[in-house]
Amino acid sequence: MSQFKFSVGPWNVHEGGDAFGPTVRDSISFEEKIKRFSELGFSAIQFHDDDAVPNMNELTEDEIKAEARKVKALLDKYSLKAEFVAPRLWEDDHTHDGGYTSMSQVDRDFAMWRSYRSIDIAKELDCDKIVLWLAREGTLCYESKDPVVGVNHLVDSINKMLDYDDNIKVLIEPKPNEPIDRSFCPTIGHVMGISSRTNDPSRVGGLLESAHAILAGIDPANEMAFALSFDKLWGVHLNDQNGMKYDQDKSFGSENLRQAFNQVRVLVENDFGKNGEYVGLDVKAMRTQKIEDCYRHLENSMRVVRLMEEKVKQFDYELQKKYIEERNYEALEMYVIELLLGL
Ligand code: 3MF
Ligand code: MG
């Protein structure tokens, strides 16, 4: 059994379209997805604002809240919680050049409108976390934005969210690039820096996605550790990634078992989840996967987390201590490899 509770977003079961080809699987309704998620053992759902309330731009504030209440009833029906709500600014016509860091006041106002509505939706769904994946908050063309002004705008925007609701927590999910070329907030270290500049750092933390760290050329377990040392790792998106290329969202552990082991180890050793945090997945099935088996990447990822928890339990901390004292890291490394190989 796992010590963790798991969460998943509806976008993790998708139609398989990519930048070079159309969709290959039929859409599955939201209710069918969450029913299956609950059967698979997930405890909570991650939401974009418009996953919860489609076409929200056309609705009034009250209509948005009413739609969100219907979603809450669906969650209750399947005994699921909502983990967070994330404003999906990157798909909108208003925010082609980003939201919070756009150089246009109109765009920034729209980004705030969606952020306030995301907070409204979160409250209706009985959750207190807003996730900001800052998809277009940076540049395609370096000279197109003033980076200092951009970061200042980001801090101001977060402050407005904190002011809007006294209980809401803001989690930044950093990513170095894609869809933009250069992000203004590429790593967890940047997230901690932004947090410290807000009016209430105790309510601004991070969500670390494995693939995003790998894209930045840094180690996901160390990124988690960095946020943990600040008591600010409030979410994770476990997945995997074969090197520094396009964002792959592969099943957790499918590329690098040792890296997967050390991510689970840092979470276990630091009792991640003790404040109700979920182990979130952000994985996508390969485009080749047929619809009949299009949840398997989620099952596999959860299974790898659980298997790695077992490996962490088996990890011989006395032996680790001995090898560290001897400074025999060749032996320590081989021990870890043998442990993972089941030898
Ligand atoms: C992109 C992501 C996003 C975020 C999601 C929640 C679409 O690389 O990881 O997934 O996780 O928007 O903030
Ligand atoms: Mg993610």
Side-chain angles (χ1 to χ4, degrees):
M1 266 312 282
S2 180
Q3 75 175 65
F4 299 124
K5 291 182 297 173
F6 291 88
S7 73
V8 59
W11 65 90
N12 281 196
V13 173
H14 76 133
E15 294 80 7
D18 67 17
F20 300 98
T23 59
V24 290
R25 293 182 288 265
D26 290 339
S27 298
I28 298 173
S29 75
F30 176 73
E31 178 162 3
E32 206 180 320
K33 285 185 191 177
I34 65 163
K35 179 171 180 288
R36 189 90 180 89
F37 292 156
S38 129
E39 289 163 2
L40 289 174
F42 288 96
S43 306
I45 304 297
Q46 311 163 14
F47 285 92
H48 293 120
D49 50 2
D50 56 0
D51 289 324
V53 184
N55 304 319
M56 56 188 288
N57 286 353
E58 274 105 68
L59 304 181
T60 64
E61 293 173 26
D62 286 340
E63 286 167 342
I64 290 171
K65 288 182 194 169
E67 287 300 312
R69 281 194 287 277
K70 292 185 198 161
V71 176
K72 175 72 170 80
L74 266 187
L75 291 177
D76 290 346
K77 181 172 166 193
Y78 297 103
S79 306
L80 290 161
K81 303 278 183 208
E83 183 190 12
F84 65 70
V85 178
R88 181 148 43 190
L89 297 178
W90 54 95
E91 284 187 6
D92 205 280
D93 263 351
H94 299 80
T95 42
H96 287 175
D97 200 15
Y100 312 118
T101 69
S102 168
M103 294 291 127
S104 145
Q105 180 71 51
V106 176
D107 296 352
R108 291 201 302 278
D109 289 347
F110 174 77
M112 286 319 301
W113 185 82
R114 285 286 287 256
S115 305
Y116 296 143
R117 299 298 74 75
S118 294
I119 295 171
D120 292 346
I121 294 169
K123 286 170 77 172
E124 296 297 343
L125 298 182
D126 195 26
C127 81
D128 62 359
K129 289 180 177 146
I130 295 295
V131 167
L132 305 182
W133 170 45
L134 302 168
R136 299 190 193 278
E137 312 303 344
T139 54
L140 289 170
C141 165
Y142 189 88
E143 297 79 10
S144 65
K145 288 182 187 173
D146 179 327
V148 175
V149 171
V151 172
N152 290 343
H153 279 323
L154 179 57
V155 173
D156 289 345
S157 305
I158 294 171
N159 281 337
K160 286 182 191 154
M161 293 175 220
L162 298 173
D163 284 346
Y164 182 74
D165 185 275
D166 285 345
N167 294 315
I168 210 73
K169 296 194 180 78
V170 177
L171 286 62
I172 301 179
E173 179 181 347
K175 183 176 180 182
N177 59 277
E178 200 192 23
I180 42 161
D181 182 31
R182 293 170 170 92
S183 166
F184 290 152
C185 187
T187 69
I188 273 290
H190 292 81
V191 172
M192 298 300 110
I194 300 259
S195 168
S196 76
R197 277 198 49 207
T198 62
N199 293 340
D200 188 357
S202 74
R203 289 196 285 139
V204 183
L207 181 154
L208 192 279
E209 172 163 326
S210 325
H212 295 179
I214 299 166
L215 282 170
I218 46 186
D219 186 272
N222 268 2
E223 284 284 90
M224 290 175 189
F226 195 85
L228 283 164
S229 83
F230 284 74
D231 267 328
K232 285 190 187 300
L233 187 70
W234 299 340
V236 291
H237 269 173
L238 298 186
N239 58 15
D240 213 345
Q241 173 76 24
N242 175 25
M244 297 164 80
K245 51 184 79 167
Y246 64 96
D247 187 4
Q248 297 181 301
D249 294 335
K250 289 186 153 215
S251 291
F252 182 59
S254 62
E255 283 298 323
N256 191 330
L257 287 177
R258 188 174 173 191
Q259 217 166 39
F261 168 69
N262 283 313
Q263 288 173 73
V264 173
R265 193 164 66 87
V266 81
L267 295 176
V268 168
E269 288 176 0
N270 291 281
D271 208 8
F272 179 80
K274 64 175 179 288
N275 306 309
E277 299 91 349
Y278 296 95
V279 166
L281 302 180
D282 198 357
V283 290
K284 292 217 173 71
M286 289 175 249
R287 191 168 185 267
T288 43
Q289 194 68 4
K290 294 183 181 164
I291 186 118
E292 299 80 45
D293 204 7
C294 66
Y295 292 83
R296 184 172 287 264
H297 59 306
L298 293 168
E299 295 179 75
N300 289 351
S301 297
M302 259 200 291
R303 180 160 154 73
V304 171
V305 175
R306 291 181 174 136
L307 290 170
M308 288 303 178
E309 284 181 77
E310 287 305 313
K311 292 292 175 189
V312 174
K313 278 196 199 124
Q314 289 165 23
F315 188 66
D316 187 339
Y317 285 93
E318 282 305 311
L319 192 62
Q320 179 199 30
K321 189 162 164 267
K322 174 176 169 297
Y323 287 147
I324 292 171
E325 276 163 12
E326 293 171 0
R327 219 179 62 206
N328 193 348
Y329 300 156
E330 294 293 349
L332 178 56
E333 186 163 80
M334 195 61 200
Y335 164 64
V336 173
I337 291 168
E338 288 186 353
L339 176 73
L340 295 178
L341 287 171
L343 297 174

